């Protein structure tokens, strides 16, 4: 049985987004009525090849079928007027696409939506989870896909036409669509990352890289002809990289390839139309004029392409730390930090009492001794999670076993319950502590742009991206209804005239 079978929709919706339906949809939306046509606000919509698209898309990374909250959030985003949805074949191991398909079917059946109102984007390339099971089975029977990049255990990659054909069919069935508006190659630079790891000369690797992309473009043009996709493009984390870097993906070269394929196939128009890349307050490489004197955004606009910005609020600093661009000046965190520390102190004392059943000197570390000294040193949630996984949990597992052996099941159960209570508090403490570090960034922005006084950092970040992007879409992970509502406020001021040098000041 196909492992994706249970994720398929019962039927496929006909059609795709079109100019008339997207215009009609936008003009009847909450966003349009509140913000459009008013000089003091940003217009939440723009036109791309005749279609009226929202400047924020529902980004569905980490979205799955099990969460009713995710489902409600997608429904609310559509009801508010956000008519662009971004997903990928590997998000939630296919569940993200399936949930989107489920919501579309439901809203269309209720008469609240037409297929033509929405612009759906999905991506392809990763071989993980269920796809990895399929690929492994094929390899075991000598039917492997060609040109797989075996990047690391549990994560392969492929953009060969045979694989793309396979994945497109899966995606269309999960989404329940006959046609997807945009089909993107998802981080094809994994090939370059792998080649660099194996010390392959850069010139040889890049030649193979762009040849593979060209081959995929030929295939994607055929799928356009068949009516299965409207447009295609590339989502890459390395579009903004220095062109000399080994793993850099050159949009200039990609455009040349697209024109060659267009000419080769005698097409009136190239289907290559969409470019996705990361962008946020700390990662402003997309505005750096390092591509023959131009920046990425200007090249995109000059060639009539659609820019999609991902990770708008999850920034990676120059030192490699991950920053969540979330801070609300109305919610001061110092008081919360003190309360959380008091709760941790109570738990530390309770642990001391429970560990009294163990002979003195029979253990070296405790939950307290391996966490308390580092409370203010965790850079972010990921850093904490890694520390817990690699250091704390192995120590606690040993303690739990010792307690059961000497103190019995009752004491062991109490200790486990204490730890279960402690871990969420620890996570909250680190989260609140990290908010403190956002204050300086927030203050810097307010000094430069006093008009943002009173806004939260997330909304400011989105507004600055809108202002710099112009005609384009910011992909926002709106997994909660409150996130959807918060996103609407990013249009509540006119465009900010922000300069590239200002963005550079935000970097940390």
């Amino acid at each position: 049985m196909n492992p994706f079978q249970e994720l398929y929709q019962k039927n496929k919706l006909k059609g795709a987004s079109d100019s008339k339906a997207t215009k009609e949809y936008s003009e009847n939306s909450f966003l349009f009525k509140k913000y459009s046509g008013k000089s003091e606000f940003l217009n939440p919509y723009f036109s791309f090849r005749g279609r009226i698209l929202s400047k924020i898309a529902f980004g569905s990374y980490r979205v799955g079928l099990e969460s009713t909250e995710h489902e409600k959030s997608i429904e609310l985003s559509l009801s508010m007027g956000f008519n662009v949805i971004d997903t990928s074949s590997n998000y939630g191991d296919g569940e993200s696409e399936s949930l989107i398909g489920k919501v579309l079917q439901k809203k269309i059946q209720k008469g609240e939506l037409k297929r033509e109102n929405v612009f759906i984007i999905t991506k392809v390339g990763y071989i993980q989870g269920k796809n990895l099971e399929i690929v492994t089975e094929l390899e075991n029977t000598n039917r492997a896909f060609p040109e797989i990049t075996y990047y690391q255990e549990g994560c392969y990659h492929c953009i060969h036409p045979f694989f793309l054909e396979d994945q497109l069919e899966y995606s269309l069935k999960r989404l329940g669509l006959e046609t997807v508006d945009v089909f993107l190659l998802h981080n094809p630079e994994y090939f370059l990352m792998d080649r660099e790891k194996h010390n392959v000369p850069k010139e040889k690797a890049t030649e193979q890289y762009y040849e593979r992309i060209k081959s995929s473009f030929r295939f994607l043009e055929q799928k356009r002809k068949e009516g299965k996709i409207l447009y295609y493009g590339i989502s890459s984390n390395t579009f903004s990289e220095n062109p000399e870097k080994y793993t850099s993906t050159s949009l200039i070269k990609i455009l040349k390839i697209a024109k060659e394929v267009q000419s080769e196939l005698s097409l009136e128009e190239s289907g290559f139309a969409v470019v996705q890349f990361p962008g946020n307050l700390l990662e402003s490489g997309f505005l750096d004029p390092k591509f023959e004197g131009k920046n990425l955004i200007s090249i995109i606009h000059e060639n009539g392409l659609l820019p999609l910005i991902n990770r708008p609020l999850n920034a990676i600093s120059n030192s490699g730390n991950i920053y969540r661009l979330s801070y609300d000046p109305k919610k001061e965190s110092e008081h919360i930090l003190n309360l959380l520390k008091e709760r941790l102190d109570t738990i530390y004392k309770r642990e001391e009492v429970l560990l009294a059943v163990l002979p003195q000197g029979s253990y070296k570390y405790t939950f307290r001794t391996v966490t308390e000294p580092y409370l203010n040193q965790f850079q972010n949630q990921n850093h904490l999670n890694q520390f817990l996984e690699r250091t704390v949990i192995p120590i606690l597992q040993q303690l739990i076993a010792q307690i059961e052996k000497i103190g019995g099941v009752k004491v062991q159960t109490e200790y486990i319950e204490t730890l279960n209570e402690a871990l969420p508090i620890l996570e909250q403490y680190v989260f609140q502590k990290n908010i403190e570090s956002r204050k300086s960034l927030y203050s810097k922005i307010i000094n430069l742009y006093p008009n943002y006084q009173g806004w939260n950092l997330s909304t400011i970040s989105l507004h600055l991206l809108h202002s710099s992007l112009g005609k384009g879409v910011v992909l926002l992970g709106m997994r909660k209804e409150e996130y959807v509502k918060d996103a609407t406020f990013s249009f509540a001021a006119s465009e900010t005239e922000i300069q590239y040098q200002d963005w550079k000041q935000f970097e940390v």
Side-chain angles (χ1 to χ4, degrees):
M1 179 183 169
N2 186 311
F4 292 117
Q5 191 76 40
E6 60 186 17
L7 300 181
Y8 293 163
Q9 306 305 319
K10 290 181 180 177
N11 52 64
K12 289 182 180 178
L13 299 169
K14 296 181 185 296
S17 64
D18 66 37
S19 55
K20 182 182 176 183
T22 52
K23 183 174 186 291
E24 176 187 83
Y25 175 84
S26 67
E27 290 178 352
N28 287 311
S29 73
F30 163 83
L31 288 175
F32 184 89
K33 291 170 184 174
K34 186 170 179 66
Y35 296 116
S36 286
K38 299 172 184 176
S39 59
E40 69 271 29
F41 298 139
L42 270 181
N43 189 336
Y45 295 99
F46 70 101
S47 176
F48 172 70
R49 303 198 179 182
R51 292 164 178 79
I52 305 301
L53 306 181
S54 57
K55 289 182 178 177
I56 288 180
F58 188 97
S60 59
Y61 178 61
R62 293 199 299 159
V63 165
L65 285 166
E66 297 301 316
S67 173
T68 55
E69 186 173 42
H70 296 169
E71 186 174 341
K72 288 177 181 176
S73 297
I74 298 174
E75 290 178 4
L76 179 62
S77 71
L78 289 167
S79 299
M80 297 287 259
F82 297 112
N83 69 337
V84 182
I85 299 177
D86 174 85
T87 184
S88 178
S89 61
N90 72 315
Y91 290 173
D93 209 7
E95 283 196 19
S96 174
E97 288 180 328
S98 189
L99 179 60
I100 290 162
K102 177 184 175 183
V103 171
L104 292 177
Q105 297 268 356
K106 183 163 71 173
K107 289 189 78 69
I108 287 170
Q109 284 169 11
K110 286 182 178 179
E112 298 172 356
L113 190 73
K114 297 176 184 174
R115 165 62 185 100
E116 295 79 9
N117 294 150
V118 288
F119 193 77
I120 309 296
I121 302 157
T122 194
K123 303 185 281 291
V124 62
Y126 281 91
I127 301 175
Q128 296 171 304
K130 292 185 177 73
N131 268 325
L132 185 56
E133 291 174 23
I134 293 170
V135 166
T136 302
E137 186 178 332
L138 289 172
E139 288 181 335
N140 290 338
T141 53
N142 297 315
R143 294 178 293 151
F145 290 110
E147 298 181 354
I148 290 178
T149 297
Y150 298 93
Y151 184 68
Q152 64 184 31
E153 186 178 349
C155 181
Y156 304 163
H157 200 278
C158 186
I159 60 168
H160 188 276
F162 290 176
F163 182 70
L164 299 183
E165 174 92 67
D166 185 71
Q167 294 297 295
L168 177 57
E169 291 307 315
Y170 288 151
S171 288
L172 291 174
K173 287 175 182 176
R174 288 189 294 255
L175 288 163
L177 302 177
E178 286 198 351
T179 305
V180 68
D181 298 281
V182 177
F183 196 58
L184 300 177
L185 303 182
H186 197 181
N187 295 343
E189 68 271 15
Y190 265 89
F191 173 77
L192 294 176
M193 290 157 61
D194 181 73
R195 297 297 83 193
E196 184 179 36
K197 194 166 60 173
H198 289 89
N199 299 313
V200 175
K202 183 187 173 189
E203 189 176 330
K204 181 181 178 182
T206 52
E207 183 181 347
Q208 290 177 321
Y209 181 55
Y210 291 110
E211 190 51 52
R212 289 186 177 195
I213 288 173
K214 189 172 187 176
S215 177
S216 71
F217 279 13
R218 292 190 189 102
F219 165 80
L220 293 170
E221 288 293 355
Q222 178 59 36
K223 295 297 116 178
R224 286 187 76 219
K225 191 175 178 181
E226 293 172 15
K228 293 189 175 182
I229 61 176
L230 277 186
Y231 302 110
Y232 60 88
I234 294 178
S235 173
S236 173
N237 291 330
T238 64
F239 272 128
S240 301
E241 281 187 350
N242 190 306
E244 280 71 49
K245 195 170 178 183
Y246 192 110
T247 54
S248 169
T249 298
S250 167
L251 180 56
I252 293 171
K253 288 181 182 177
I254 299 289
L255 283 163
K256 185 182 176 188
I257 288 169
K259 286 173 183 173
E260 287 171 356
V261 171
Q262 180 185 354
S263 174
E264 181 185 306
L265 300 178
S266 302
L267 302 170
E268 287 186 17
E269 176 189 60
S270 169
F272 176 70
V274 183
V275 179
Q276 185 177 139
F277 51 92
N280 51 64
L281 292 180
L282 305 189
E283 296 174 87
S284 56
F286 63 98
L287 295 171
D288 191 344
K290 57 190 171 187
F291 306 105
E292 299 178 4
K294 297 178 180 178
N295 64 33
L296 188 62
I297 292 295
S298 63
I299 296 171
I300 289 170
H301 286 318
E302 284 170 12
N303 288 277
L305 305 177
L306 173 64
L308 307 174
I309 284 186
N310 60 39
R311 285 202 292 102
L313 302 181
N314 290 314
I316 300 175
S317 70
N318 290 330
S319 58
N321 294 328
I322 298 173
Y323 281 78
R324 175 71 180 172
L325 298 173
S326 173
Y327 170 71
D328 191 337
K330 301 185 190 77
K331 299 175 183 176
E332 287 296 332
S333 59
E334 190 172 342
H335 174 62
I336 299 172
L337 273 174
N338 290 335
L339 288 175
L340 290 170
K341 184 62 173 68
E342 286 174 13
R343 290 175 68 188
L344 280 173
D345 286 340
T346 301
I347 285 169
Y348 289 147
K349 288 172 185 173
R350 197 188 311 162
E351 180 192 37
E352 193 176 328
V353 171
L354 291 168
L355 291 179
V357 300
L358 300 179
Q360 197 169 6
S362 65
Y363 57 89
K364 187 176 180 181
Y365 301 106
T366 67
F367 177 68
R368 180 174 198 157
T369 61
V370 293
T371 59
E372 190 175 37
Y374 309 105
L375 284 177
N376 298 325
Q377 296 179 33
F378 295 112
Q379 298 161 352
N380 50 56
Q381 299 298 115
N382 285 346
H383 187 197
L384 170 64
N385 291 339
Q386 287 175 9
F387 183 74
L388 289 173
E389 186 179 324
R390 296 173 186 174
T391 305
V392 179
I393 291 174
I395 288 169
L396 296 180
Q397 286 172 335
Q398 290 178 9
L399 281 173
I400 289 167
Q402 277 183 271
I403 291 170
E404 182 188 22
K405 192 174 181 181
I406 298 170
V409 174
K410 185 182 177 185
V411 181
Q412 182 201 43
T413 302
E414 283 185 56
Y415 188 63
I416 291 171
E417 287 174 353
T418 300
L419 294 176
N420 287 337
E421 183 184 341
L423 290 174
I425 297 171
L426 182 61
E427 288 176 350
Q428 288 177 51
Y429 184 90
V430 172
F431 177 77
Q432 291 296 332
K433 189 67 185 175
N434 285 332
I435 284 177
E436 292 291 308
S437 68
R438 311 295 180 269
K439 272 187 178 180
S440 59
L441 175 60
Y442 181 83
S443 299
K444 196 180 288 185
I445 294 171
I446 296 302
N447 287 336
L448 284 169
Y449 305 104
N451 55 304
Y452 287 130
Q453 191 75 46
W455 288 40
N456 64 44
L457 183 57
S458 299
T459 311
I460 293 172
S461 301
L462 294 172
H463 189 270
L464 287 172
L465 283 172
H466 295 322
S467 297
S468 296
L469 193 55
K471 292 186 175 183
V473 181
V474 177
L475 312 179
L476 185 62
M478 299 185 282
R479 293 178 298 135
K480 296 182 179 181
E481 290 179 283
E482 64 186 273
Y483 296 167
V484 178
K485 293 171 185 173
D486 199 43
T488 66
F489 293 113
S490 67
F491 305 110
S494 57
E495 184 177 307
T496 297
E497 292 186 11
I498 179 171
Q499 303 299 317
Y500 175 59
Q501 54 266 31
D502 293 340
W503 283 88
K504 298 301 287 182
Q505 292 184 62
F506 303 148
E507 293 181 359
V508 294

